[in-house]
Amino acid sequence: MTQTHLSPRDLPRGDGSDDAVGRALWAVEPDGRLVVFVHGFGGSSTSTWVQFPSLFPQRDECGNADALFYEYDSLRTQTLLNGNLLFQFLDRLLSGPAALANSTLAPEVQRPDGFRYDRVVLAAHSLGAVVARQALMAAHRSESEWLSRTRLVLFAPAHRGARVQALAMSALTGIPWLSGLLNSASYFYPPLAELEPDSDLLRELQDDTEAAVAAGTGDRLLASQVVHGAKDKVVRALPFSQDPVALVVPDRDHVDVCKPCPDFATPLDAVVEQLR
C-alpha cells in the first residue's frame, strides 16, 4: 500500500519558539487541503481524536490532505484568550504554510515557497467549538483573507452552554478530591463558568455572529456541519445562529461522538464531506 502520510510529529507554534502545539500528520504529496482538529475541555490532541490519525490516511479523499491536531490549555486559560491564540496560530500557518511545515520536514519532502491551502476545515469538539468560533470571529474582525477558505465542523458543540458539573465530571475523572469541589470548580477552571448557558461570552459570541451574518459578511462564521450524540447529557443541543440542522447520532454520548472507529465512520465522514 502506498504511503500517503508521514509519521506524526510535533507541531510547532510557528512563532520562533520551541513550543509544540499538538501533532502534525503531513501528506507526502499535499494538494492544498487541511484539517485542524480542536479538542474540548480537558481533552488533548491525542486523547480526544483517538483513531482519527490512523483512519484519516486510509480514506481516498484524505490521501493528499494535511491534518493538524491542535493542543491548548483548555482547563486554566480563558476561552476568549484560547480563541485568540488559535487565531494567531492559524494566521501564521495560513500566511506562510510552507515555512511551518518545512521546519519539521526532511529536505526531500519539503514544500515549495509558494505552497498554500485552498481548503481549510476546522473540526472542533465541545469547548473547542467555542474556541474555534472565537478564532474565526477574530479572523473576521481582522479581515483575514484566509477566512473565505474555511469550513467549520462541530461535534457536541458547547456554544449554547453546558451542564458544567457534568462536563467537569466527564473531563476531570481520576481526581479524588473533585467531587468535593464541584461547586467551586469554575474558580479553578475558568472555562467552566464561561460555558454556563447565560454567560456573557456565549451571548456575545452569538450576537456578534448574528450581526456579521445580517451584514452579509459572516457566512464563514457559520458551521457547515454539526453533529450531536443522542445520549449527550453535557451540552445544550440548541441551534446557534443560522447553523444547519444538526445530525444526531444514536447510541453516542458527549465523549465518543467525535471518535471514529472501524464500525463508526460518522465523524470521519463529516470531515471528509467538507474536504471535497
Side-chain angles (χ1 to χ4, degrees):
M1 182 177 179
T2 303
Q3 181 183 10
T4 61
H5 290 78
L6 303 172
S7 59
R9 59 205 60 206
D10 285 345
L11 174 65
R13 189 180 297 279
D15 59 358
S17 70
D18 293 329
D19 296 338
V21 288
R23 300 286 284 169
L25 189 64
W26 301 118
V28 174
E29 297 181 357
D31 63 1
R33 295 177 301 149
L34 168 70
V35 184
V36 179
F37 293 88
V38 185
H39 64 78
F41 181 77
S44 75
S45 58
T46 53
S47 64
T48 295
W49 308 106
V50 192
Q51 294 190 56
F52 248 114
S54 60
L55 295 176
F56 186 86
Q58 296 179 24
R59 292 288 292 263
D60 291 341
E61 304 96 323
C62 304
N64 303 104
D66 291 331
L68 306 182
F69 298 85
Y70 182 76
E71 182 92 41
Y72 66 102
D73 178 9
S74 62
L75 298 181
R76 295 176 177 84
T77 300
Q78 296 178 53
T79 304
L80 179 58
L81 301 181
N82 272 325
N84 288 344
L85 286 170
L86 176 58
F87 162 68
Q88 290 167 199
F89 169 75
L90 290 172
D91 204 47
R92 286 191 296 267
L93 169 66
L94 299 176
S95 298
L100 188 143
N102 288 345
S103 69
T104 73
L105 295 173
E108 62 270 18
V109 291
Q110 291 199 343
R111 279 90 191 273
D113 291 341
F115 176 77
R116 60 169 263 156
Y117 289 113
D118 299 312
R119 174 68 60 93
V120 180
V121 178
L122 287 184
H125 175 246
S126 190
L127 170 66
V130 185
V131 173
R133 298 198 101 126
Q134 292 286 6
L136 294 183
M137 182 60 70
H140 173 73
R141 289 171 175 155
S142 301
E143 298 183 352
S144 301
E145 62 84 21
W146 52 261
L147 181 60
S148 64
R149 294 179 264 138
T150 64
R151 304 289 187 275
L152 188 60
V153 178
L154 305 178
F155 300 99
H159 50 213
R160 291 301 306 274
R163 298 170 180 87
V164 295
Q165 290 193 353
L167 179 59
M169 291 299 290
S170 69
L172 302 175
T173 56
I175 301 178
W177 43 263
L178 178 63
S179 60
L181 288 180
L182 279 178
N183 290 333
S184 57
S186 59
Y187 174 80
F188 297 98
Y189 306 108
L192 289 178
E194 294 166 332
L195 292 182
E196 291 283 1
D198 59 350
S199 78
D200 292 341
L201 180 86
L202 297 185
R203 185 180 66 254
E204 291 174 6
L205 179 59
Q206 174 145 274
D207 289 348
D208 291 348
T209 302
E210 290 279 9
V213 172
T217 59
D219 287 354
R220 292 305 177 198
L221 302 178
L222 299 175
S224 298
Q225 176 70 280
V226 179
V227 182
H228 280 287
K231 294 187 176 182
D232 192 330
K233 295 180 174 62
V234 174
V235 299
R236 300 169 77 230
L238 299 173
F240 182 98
S241 186
Q242 297 180 41
D243 281 355
V245 175
L247 171 67
V248 181
V249 184
D251 300 322
R252 297 287 161 171
D253 60 23
H254 182 73
V255 173
D256 62 11
V257 72
C258 66
K259 295 174 170 56
C261 58
D263 61 354
F264 177 54
T266 299
L268 185 53
D269 290 342
V271 170
V272 168
E273 179 62 28
Q274 299 310 316
L275 278 175
R276 294 190 174 115

